[in-house]
Each structure stands twice: as structure tokens, then as C-alpha cells.
Amino acid sequence: MKPRVRFAPSPTGYLHIGGARTALFNWLYARHTGGTFVLRIEDTDAARNTQEAVEAILGGLRWLGLNWDEGPLTSAATGPAKGARGPYFQSQRRAHYERRVEALLSRQLAYEKDGAVWFRMTREPIVIPDLVVGDVLRPLTDREALHPDWVLVRSDGQPVFHFVNVVDDLEMGITHVIRGEDHLSNTAKHIALFRAFGVPPPAYAHIPLILNPEGSKMSKRDRGASLGAYLEEGFLPEAVNNYLCLLGWSPKDNTEKLPLTEVVERFDLPQILRHNAKFDYEKLLWLQGEYCRELPDDRFYEMSVRALAKAGLDTNRFDVRYVKAALDTCRGKIKTFGELPDYGGFYFRPEVDYDPAAVEKCFVPENRPRLERLREAFARTDTFTAATLETTLKATAGNLGVKAGVLVHPVRLAATGRASGPSLYHLLEVLGREKTLERIERALAAFPATT
RNA sequence: GACCCUAUGGUCUAGCGGUUAGGACACCUCCCUUUCACGGAGGUAGCCCGGGUUCGAGUCCCGGUAGGGUCGCCA
């Protein structure tokens, strides 16, 4: 029998990075085994659930490329879905829950008290056979020893998570439950319920948690916790996927950078690690840089243009050759596209704003005449190419009796407003003679008034 | 507090009884480049502690300790 796995998020807020990782592992297992990946929305908490949150979940999964074989097609609870085991929103599955409660009630496995339905929980310790940690013996805790029974349906008629989760897994034919380790202790309840229904529980695989740099469970507030933020900041889904794979799973041969297609081939439950991992933004950024550098031209331009547009820089107003040439000088330099407006925005702004710290260093009185000389030299070159600009600048420096660096920094600041950026000569070539001279002119006016 | 899980450099990890404990990120130095990256060459830094078992333990067992998780009419 082919495995059937599911990702069953609660639509409260955005898609959490930990949730995305859980979805990824389920998806990988399904794809590796040729099984089925089900998406189920656990929207039983009407007060906290929002359709926007569902939107964020669907959008996030789509962005990562984690396509589901069964589940909703839109964020509407009553909207279209694919798959024969629906509905895939718990809010639409009341009839199933009611039927299952009745079944337990009629067999004395549950009882009513104070308007709620209680499950008659076993008093015996339960062994949780876990594919990642092995057999886990879960005895009752102090509190449970006092009151082992627990609520299946609240007095307001709402069934609780543990119950609906089990009912749905049962009815949707889920064979493997791959979820965060924070559910490990609760699994005893789930197993007891499956037994009450007279069916063997699915196989469990509890994956380690993603911790924040402080070492506790990653939560909202923590930097990098929202998957949507990566989309916003101009990350590539392949980089995020790759990094997420490495959190709780290891290919065991020191490979770090590997495409998802390869992970699909190599991924399996036994290689899932047992200990929690701290989220390392720097390492994700490194992977992002790697993938960004290898991007095909078209995609690089497309992502760049979009990032610039988002920052209010409309590249459509420029010649396409200028845009491409400009972006080419930024290639390999930036890691995320969110950096681009600041890094290469000067190409597309009518005027640059100067970095104050750099101004203090470069726009000093003695540099003013030097920059004037350079401007004159730049105005007279036959061609305006990186090569001639470099020769010209170096020759001018020689005539002035200074090192090239003395001119390099002020011109860069004049042209870009920044102390660092793309290769100077190439950037000037792209900018062109007119803009370059104009910007140097403006910079000369920005020098302190002293003599 | 009870119960459960975990434990290799700052971080992610390889290791599965005999290794000079390997790789990656980060950090530092140098080279390349008069920017910043990339790239190249080096470097600092690790088996939580204590008992066993064994000729031999990061590796197996037990106990501590530490970290994390769970104990709702939240999910």
C-alpha cells in the first residue's frame, strides 16, 4: 500500500517556518515513496481562524512548490477541492465527528458530563512506536493519573483537536503521521482513540523542532519565523527548501547544497535526526547566495525588476539594454533581491543620496580639485568603456601624484552615493558619460564650502 | 512539579568500539581586487560530567547535569 501523508495546519496567522518544514518532510516522503500528499485545513477554532491565513498557507506551499494531491484548491472552506476523501476543511466535517462520537458513546467508550463528551482513556501506559525515536513508553502524568479521561467534544458542541485530528486521519486513510516532536507526548491519546475505533493507528514519525537562536521553540516574533517574509525579502524558494531540508534531516555524506529533486530521491525517515536544531539565518543566507548566483539570466532579471518595482523604481522607463547591463553588474554581488534597491538603485534614480559616513571620508577639500580633474579627463575620452575609464582614472591619478584609490572612492560615492557597490569602471560605463559627468558635477557642489 | 525526547567546535552536521574526530556556515589572517562580493590559501574552536562494559569508548550500559517538549472544554 502506498503511503498517504498529510499536512494539517491551523489557519491562525501566517505560515510558520516550522509548519513549512513539516509540510516539506511530508511532501518529500510522499514523493519519495510515490505516495499521496494530503492538505487538510484544521479550522475548528472559529474565533482564531481566518481565510487570509488559509491563503497564506496555500500561497506558501505553492511558492515552495509543495503541490498536494488532495486538498482544497482555494482558501474558501466551501470552495472546490481535489481528492475523494473530502471535505478537506474540518469546519465542513461535522457530520463525521458526530457520527464518531455516537459510536464511542454507544459503546460506553465515551460519556457525557457537564454538557461535554469525555473519552474514557486507558489507565495503562501506552507505547508509542515512533519511526524516528523508537518505542516511547508514555505513562500517565501526575495530573492524568488523577483524571485520565479527556474531553472529546466541548460543552459548546465543538470537538477538540485530538479528536478531529484522529477521526480525519482515520477517515482519510492516513498511513504515516509526520509531525513535530511537540506532539509526541499527545500521541498516547491519539493511539488510545484509534484503538477505541478498533483500527490500528498510523505509523508515527516525530521530527525534531526548529529552535530559535536562544534555544526555545521558534515562534512568531522570532526573526525568520514567517515563511512569507522570505518571499517578501526576495529569497528563492529553492534556497529556503534546501535549508529547511537540512533542519532535522541529513543526507549523511556532507552534502549541503542539493536540489529538491535530489532530496526526493534520497529522503527517507531513517535519516531524520533526533535532536532539535537552532535556526541559523546566516547559513540560509549563504545558500540563498549560492542559488542566486546560479540563476539563469531571465529569472535573475525578472526577480530583480520585481524587487526594484516594489521599492518604487520603475525599470520600464529605461532602455532594456541599460537595465540588463545595470543588473549584470549587480550579479553575484547581492544575495537576496531585497538588497537590490539599495545596492543598484542608483542606476534608476534621478539623483543619488549620499551615505553620510562616506561623505565625511571622501568629500574632503583636497579631493575637490582632484575630482574636477577626473571629470575633465572623463569628459574627453574617445570611448566611455570600463577599460578606457580605468586607464584614464589611473593616468589622472598618476598626473596628480596620488594613488588610484584616492580618486576611486570619491567617484564611486558621486556616482552611486555608496561606499561600496558594483565594479566602479563597469558601473560608470553602464551609467554613461552624461550621467557620470552630471553626478560628479553635483558631488563637487556637495563638498564642504571651506577652501 | 510529573512525564517524554535530546546531548560532537558559536551554529548545522559526519561518525556508528581502534580516526591526527571529517565537512559546511560564521569568525580571524593572507592572496586576488585599490570598493564590496566571489574565488584561493591558512587559522581559532568540539565529543556535557561521573561511573561502568571492553585490551580499547565520541561511539554500548547506568546515573547525574543541561537543553527542549508535553501535561486545557488551545491547536
Side-chain angles (χ1 to χ4, degrees):
Chain A
M1 188 175 63
K2 292 286 192 187
R4 288 177 58 84
V5 297
R6 46 67 163 182
F7 176 52
S10 255
T12 59
Y14 53 76
L15 179 53
H16 191 267
I17 194 83
R21 201 271 314 248
T22 301
L24 173 63
F25 279 24
N26 276 281
W27 181 88
L28 283 168
Y29 190 63
R31 295 297 169 259
H32 176 75
T33 58
T36 305
F37 178 51
V38 179
L39 174 63
R40 179 175 77 224
I41 306 296
E42 306 219 330
D43 60 340
T44 52
D45 189 345
R48 290 201 296 161
N49 297 151
T50 64
Q51 190 167 347
E52 294 75 62
V54 179
E55 203 73 65
I57 290 165
L58 302 189
L61 295 180
R62 284 184 180 129
W63 182 64
L64 290 174
L66 307 181
N67 57 314
W68 50 99
D69 307 303
E70 294 180 21
L73 293 170
T74 73
S75 60
T78 54
K82 56 179 168 180
R85 312 271 194 132
Y88 294 93
F89 279 80
Q90 289 187 329
S91 59
Q92 309 303 309
R93 301 180 59 80
R94 287 209 63 114
H96 293 93
Y97 309 138
E98 283 164 13
R99 198 181 73 244
R100 292 288 179 176
V101 171
E102 287 308 320
L104 293 177
L105 243 18
S106 68
R107 289 161 54 217
Q108 319 294 315
L109 294 168
Y111 57 89
E112 289 186 75
K113 188 182 136 198
D114 300 328
V117 181
W118 293 72
F119 178 63
R120 212 179 288 284
M121 180 68 178
T122 175
R123 271 60 175 163
E124 300 305 312
I126 283 186
V127 174
I128 303 162
D130 189 278
L131 265 21
V132 174
V133 269
D135 286 356
V136 176
L137 182 69
R138 216 337 280 270
L140 300 183
T141 64
D142 280 3
R143 189 194 171 87
E144 289 166 343
L146 245 43
H147 298 289
D149 298 347
W150 46 276
V151 169
L152 292 172
V153 183
R154 288 187 273 269
S155 46
D156 66 358
Q158 278 294 321
V160 306
F161 161 76
H162 298 300
F163 178 63
V164 296
N165 191 264
V166 165
V167 168
D168 288 345
D169 283 346
L170 195 171
E171 298 194 350
M172 292 182 178
I174 300 303
T175 61
H176 294 71
V177 171
I178 303 168
R179 60 175 22 160
E181 197 218 72
D182 47 348
H183 287 291
L184 183 55
S185 299
N186 291 150
T187 304
K189 287 182 178 178
H190 303 173
I191 290 177
L193 252 189
F194 274 104
R195 286 182 186 159
F197 287 128
V199 298
Y204 291 98
H206 286 94
I207 63 182
L209 301 180
I210 299 177
L211 271 27
N212 61 28
E214 287 69 49
S216 52
K217 196 163 92 166
M218 193 97 165
S219 68
K220 321 177 195 220
R221 305 184 180 263
D222 287 320
R223 149 117 116 148
S226 160
L227 186 79
Y230 296 105
L231 199 160
E232 294 296 312
E233 289 169 28
F235 276 79
L236 294 161
E238 47 268 55
V240 176
N241 268 332
N242 193 150
Y243 180 68
L244 253 26
C245 286
L246 265 21
L247 243 32
W249 175 82
S250 166
K252 303 289 186 188
D253 66 350
N254 285 336
T255 308
E256 304 264 346
K257 180 168 172 290
L258 67 176
L260 208 52
T261 50
E262 194 181 329
V263 181
V264 166
E265 279 174 39
R266 304 176 60 168
F267 184 90
D268 209 344
L269 270 17
Q271 305 133 18
I272 292 182
L273 302 163
R274 278 140 301 226
H275 52 268
N276 299 342
K278 286 182 186 165
F279 185 84
D280 184 357
Y281 188 83
E282 292 299 327
K283 187 135 185 179
L284 166 59
L285 202 56
W286 166 71
L287 271 171
Q288 163 65 20
E290 295 288 306
Y291 281 99
C292 190
R293 206 171 305 117
E294 296 171 1
L295 232 39
D297 284 346
D298 288 354
R299 185 125 176 268
F300 179 76
Y301 294 142
E302 186 200 320
M303 301 260 326
S304 296
V305 165
R306 211 185 312 159
L308 289 167
K310 212 176 122 193
L313 297 167
D314 180 12
T315 49
N316 289 322
R317 299 196 330 246
F318 298 84
D319 185 279
V320 70
R321 281 166 306 179
Y322 174 80
V323 176
K324 286 187 176 183
L327 293 176
D328 284 340
T329 67
C330 301
R331 240 208 132 119
K333 304 286 200 138
I334 53 163
K335 284 185 173 160
T336 69
F337 289 92
E339 299 166 30
L340 193 56
D342 186 64
Y343 190 85
F346 66 89
Y347 283 119
F348 310 105
R349 289 182 221 279
E351 265 189 6
V352 298
D353 54 315
Y354 302 120
D355 169 11
V359 167
E360 209 167 312
K361 265 180 101 173
C362 294
F363 289 178
V364 291
E366 58 266 39
N367 278 344
R368 197 172 190 282
R370 292 166 178 158
L371 198 53
E372 269 172 346
R373 280 282 289 279
L374 185 63
R375 200 199 96 96
E376 286 162 26
F378 278 175
R380 289 193 313 261
T381 59
D382 295 331
T383 59
F384 209 75
T385 64
T388 56
L389 291 172
E390 178 169 1
T391 344
T392 305
L393 184 140
K394 285 180 174 167
T396 308
N399 293 338
L400 289 166
V402 297
K403 290 181 175 178
V406 173
L407 293 178
V408 165
H409 299 289
V411 196
R412 171 183 295 287
L413 184 57
T416 73
R418 299 283 176 276
S420 64
S423 160
L424 178 68
Y425 307 114
H426 291 90
L427 124 221
L428 294 178
E429 177 184 329
V430 173
L431 221 40
R433 195 191 309 264
E434 194 186 330
K435 280 185 193 167
T436 299
L437 297 181
E438 187 186 299
R439 288 185 185 191
I440 294 176
E441 199 71 54
R442 177 167 169 261
L444 288 168
F447 272 70
T450 49
T451 46

